[in-house]
Amino acid sequence: MLAFERRALLVVFDAILPAGAHPQLPYGARDVPFDRFFEDAERHAPFDFMLGLRASFWVIWLCPLFAIGRLRTFGGLSERDRLRVLHWLQARRTYFLREVPNIVKTVACLAYCGLPPIQSAIGIERVDATPPSWARDLRLPRLTNEARGRALPIESEGAR
Amino acid sequence: MTNGLQTLAPPETGAERAYDSDTLVAFDDVVGRGEVLDLADVVIVGSGAAGATCARVLAEAGVSVILVEEGPLVRTSEMRADVYTTMKRMWRQMGSQLARGRAFIPLLQGRCVGGSTVINSAIVHRLPERIHAIWAREYGLGEALPYERLARIWDQIEKELHIAPTDARIQGENNRLLEVAANALGFESHPTRRNVHHCRGSARCAQGCPNGAKQSMNLSYVPRALRHGARIYATAKVERILAEGGRATGVQARFVDPSTGRRGPNLTVRARHAVIVAASALQTPLLLAKSGIGRQSKLVGRRLQLHPATAVVGIFDRPTKLWFGATQGFETSQFLEEDMKIETVALPPELAAVRLPALGPELVEQLASYGHLAQWGIEIRAKAHGTVKPGLFGFGPRYAWDAADEDVAIAKRGIATTCEMMFAAGARTVLPGVYAIPDAVSSMDEVRKLDELSDDPSRFHFIAAHHFGTAVMGLDPATSVVGPNGESHELPGLYVADGSIFPTTIGVNPQHAICGLAWHVAERLAETIPARARRPRMSIEDRRVGKAPSSSVPTIEA
C-alpha cells in the first residue's frame, strides 16, 4: 500500500469506528496503531485480501460526488457526510458496491476488536492479555469509572 | 472460577509431547539444506479429519506412515484470542478464499497440523441415515459402504475422542437461550455433541482451543499415529502426485515458510503401497488436476457442494456474555428434513462486528453491547453444484458456486425461523442480516417481508466451512473419481479419503462423517497390505535409540 493509501484508509476507519462514541467504549480507530497493522498485513495477507481492501478504499475515497453530490474526496468531508457516504454505499442495489463498506469494516474490526483493551472495554471477562504481534508494545490504560464518558488514547509508540 | 468448573480436571496437553525432532520436520529444520527424501508404506497428504484418521488406523495396523501437511504445527500454548493472529497462522488464505457467484462466499478452512478440526467448533454428527440411503439408492454405495460398518467405526471414534453432549456447566447463556426458544416453540432440540475433553467453555473454538480441551486432530489422532511410528512433515505443500508403471508411487512437495511464503527445499516421499490424498474438497481436486488425474471421468473439481451458512443476531436486555460457554453448544434438529439446521454460534468480537449492520457511532454502540448479544446460525444443505479449478497465470485457484433458488428459499425460511426463536427467547431487537430488510427488527411483522424478496443470494451474507463432492465416490468409473474403497479408478495406489468423495451434501457438520469414511478407506487399504510387507512398528523411544538425530531427515545435499 502507498503511504497515502494508509493515511487515507485511517480516515475511513475513523468514520467507521469513531472515538468517544460510547462511554463504555471510548476508544476509536484513531487510537489503534494501524500503521503497524498495515505493515503486518502486507507481510502476511494474501494478494486477494489486500487487493480487496485497496479497491474498496478507492471506491469510498472517490465516490462522494455520486453519493452526496459533493466534488470532494472522502477525506474532505465532514464526519457527518463521511457517514452519509458509507450509508449510501451500503444501500446500493449493486452487490459489489454495497459490500465495499463491509470489506473495510471487516478489516478495521479485525484489528480493533482483537486488542485486549478493546475487548476489556466491551466487557469480556478473562481477556487474553497477549496482544497481537503488531500491537506488542501497546500499554493498556485501565478503564475506570471516572474515565468512562471521555475518550482515552491507548498509549503506544505507533499510536497518534 | 465460576460455574462449578473448579471441579474439572486440568486440560490434557500431554499429547503434544509426541511432536519432537524425530517425528516432526518443518521448514525451520531443513531451510538451507538440499532436497529431503523419505520412504514409507503409505504417504498421506493432509493432517485434518481425514488424513489424521487414516494415519491413526494405518499406523496402529503396523503400516509405516508419513503425513505431509502444508500448514505449521501450532501448539496449545501458542493459541491466541485475537482472530487476526489465528487467521495468519491457521486459516487458509487468511479466510479470503472465495466462491464466486452472484455473491462472494468465504470458503473457510484450516491450514495447520490438524487442519480445520483445530478451528471448528468440535461439532459431531454421524452421517444421517437418510443421506446414506440416498447414496445407496442413487450412487450404488449401499453394499460397499454399509451403514452398520460405518456405525461401528463411529462407535470407536466416539470413545477415542470423548464425544458427548455439551456439559450443562459450560452451556453459557447463548446456548441456554436457544434451548429456551426451542422449548417455547415446541422445536426438538438438544445439547450439541462435541469432541472435547474437560472443556472450560472459553468460547474460543474458532481461534484454536487455548486449553487443549478440543480433541482436534493435532491433539488426538496425529499424536496417536506418531506414537505408533508415523512421522509428519509440516509446512510442506504437496505439488504433485508421483506415478510410475501406472501406479501412484509418492508425492513431491516443497517446504514453504508459513509466515513469509519463502520457499525451502523440495521434499520427495516415496510410498511403497499407497498415496492417500486427504487435503479437503477444495484442495484435493487441485492436486489431482495438477498431477494429471481425472481426465477419464472429467469429474475432478466438478460437483463442488457446500453448506452455506448465515447468522442472526439478537440483542437482549439480559447479559448473554458470549465469551463464556461452548462456542456451539446447542442446536435444534427440528428442520433437518427440511435441509436446514439451526444452532448457536458465539463469534468472537472481531467476527461478530462483521455481522453488525451499523457503521460509525451506532456500530460502536452495538459493539459495546457485545455482552448482550446472542448469535445463532442457519446451515443449509444446498443443492447447487460448483467447480474448483487451478488458477491461471500464477493466480490462485478459482472456486465457482452459486446458490440455487431452492437454497435461497431455505435460507429465507431459516432466517425467519431463527428470528422467531430470538423473539421467543426474549430478544429486544433482532438483526436478520438481509439486504432490503430493516437492519434491526423488533417484531415478526417486519421479518415477514422476507417472503416478498426474490431468491437472490447476494442479499445474504453466507460463509461456507463444509465442502464436498469434488472427487466423488461411486462404482462406475464414468460417473465417479474413486471407488467405494476410496481408490482412484484411474490410478491404482492412489486413494482419496476426504469430503471430496462425498456424493452429496449431508446437512450436518461433516467432521465425524469424514473421519468415518476415512477410517473405512484406511482399514480397507490396510487389508490389502500383507503383514509381512509392513515395516515393523517402532515407538518413538526405539527410534531415538536406533537413529542418530540427523538421520531423521535424509537429504541429498544440493
Side-chain angles (χ1 to χ4, degrees), chain B residues 172-250:
Chain B
E173 193 64 5
N174 190 41
N175 294 312
R176 195 192 68 79
L177 286 170
L178 192 137
E179 185 177 14
V180 168
N183 289 343
L185 296 170
F187 296 160
E188 193 181 316
S189 65
H190 50 84
T192 307
R193 277 158 43 91
R194 302 181 308 144
N195 52 301
V196 298
H197 194 40
H198 300 315
C199 173
R200 294 176 171 191
S202 60
R204 280 171 51 179
C205 284
Q207 299 103 304
C209 182
N211 305 312
K214 180 161 56 178
Q215 298 300 290
S216 42
M217 293 297 135
N218 58 325
L219 296 183
S220 52
Y221 282 169
V222 174
R224 189 168 168 149
L226 299 183
R227 286 195 296 271
H228 285 83
R231 282 182 291 146
I232 182 165
Y233 289 96
T235 65
K237 181 174 172 59
V238 174
E239 295 176 333
R240 203 159 58 92
I241 296 160
L242 304 173
E244 278 168 36
R247 202 177 161 79
T249 56

Side-chain angles (χ1 to χ4, degrees), chain A residues 104-121:
Chain A
V104 177
K105 182 174 88 170
T106 301
V107 177
C109 290
L110 200 55
Y112 176 85
C113 295
L115 294 173
I118 306 293
Q119 297 201 345
S120 187

Side-chain angles (χ1 to χ4, degrees), chain B residues 287-355:
Chain B
L287 177 59
L288 296 182
K290 267 200 254 178
S291 308
I293 297 154
R295 292 186 184 125
Q296 206 175 66
S297 67
K298 295 189 168 52
L299 280 172
V300 169
R302 307 268 172 170
R303 296 171 52 93
L304 169 66
Q305 294 163 75
L306 307 175
H307 286 162
T310 186
V312 169
V313 176
I315 303 175
F316 287 75
D317 289 327
R318 60 184 300 132
T320 55
K321 298 191 175 185
L322 277 182
W323 51 85
F324 174 76
T327 306
Q328 296 193 262
F330 212 86
E331 61 189 18
T332 168
S333 47
Q334 179 78 22
F335 308 102
L336 290 182
E337 301 278 316
E338 295 172 43
D339 291 333
M340 67 182 186
K341 179 169 173 271
I342 297 173
E343 58 197 2
T344 55
V345 52
L347 294 175
E350 297 97 312
L351 301 181
V354 178
R355 277 293 295 107

Side-chain angles (χ1 to χ4, degrees), chain A residues 15-18 21-22 24-27 37 40-49 83 86-87 90-96 98-99 101-102 105-106 109-115 119 121-128 130-134 136, chain B residues 1-2 79-85 87-88 93-94 96 100-105 200-202 204 258-260 321 323-324 349-351 353-365 367-371 395 435 439 456 458-461:
Chain A
I16 293 171
L17 292 164
H22 192 276
Q24 189 190 330
L25 189 53
Y27 311 120
F37 174 77
D40 193 84
E42 282 184 339
R43 268 204 306 276
H44 296 104
F47 175 77
D48 291 1
F49 184 101
L83 214 48
L86 293 172
H87 283 140
Q90 251 188 344
R92 288 310 87 206
R93 290 175 67 89
T94 309
Y95 172 71
F96 295 102
R98 70 170 181 267
E99 284 304 305
N102 293 339
K105 182 174 88 170
T106 301
C109 290
L110 200 55
Y112 176 85
C113 295
L115 294 173
Q119 297 201 345
I122 64 178
I124 295 180
E125 297 156 1
R126 289 186 294 168
V127 168
D128 179 355
T130 310
S133 58
W134 59 271
R136 188 98 324 153
Chain B
M1 206 173 286
T2 56
M79 301 295 182
R80 295 273 72 88
D82 80 281
V83 174
Y84 173 73
T85 300
M87 287 166 74
K88 278 196 303 185
Q93 292 281 102
M94 279 182 68
S96 67
R100 290 169 165 83
R102 279 171 288 174
F104 282 16
I105 301 180
R200 294 176 171 191
S202 60
R204 280 171 51 179
S259 57
T260 63
K321 298 191 175 185
W323 51 85
F324 174 76
E350 297 97 312
L351 301 181
V354 178
R355 277 293 295 107
L356 300 173
L359 296 166
E362 205 186 335
L363 172 63
V364 176
E365 192 178 327
L367 280 173
S369 66
Y370 178 71
F395 287 99
Y435 171 70
D439 288 344
D456 175 359
S458 74
R459 294 178 187 280
F460 305 85
H461 290 101

Side-chain angles (χ1 to χ4, degrees), chain B residues 406-453:
Chain B
E406 57 188 311
D407 302 330
V408 179
I410 294 170
K412 282 175 8 185
R413 272 207 310 282
I415 290 168
T417 307
T418 309
C419 289
E420 188 183 3
M421 293 175 75
M422 283 284 184
F423 287 125
R428 172 170 32 98
T429 305
V430 176
L431 316 176
V434 182
Y435 171 70
I437 291 289
D439 288 344
V441 297
S442 51
S443 76
M444 280 307 288
D445 288 340
E446 293 169 281
V447 176
R448 289 197 185 94
K449 289 177 186 155
L450 267 169
D451 297 336
E452 298 158 21
L453 296 181

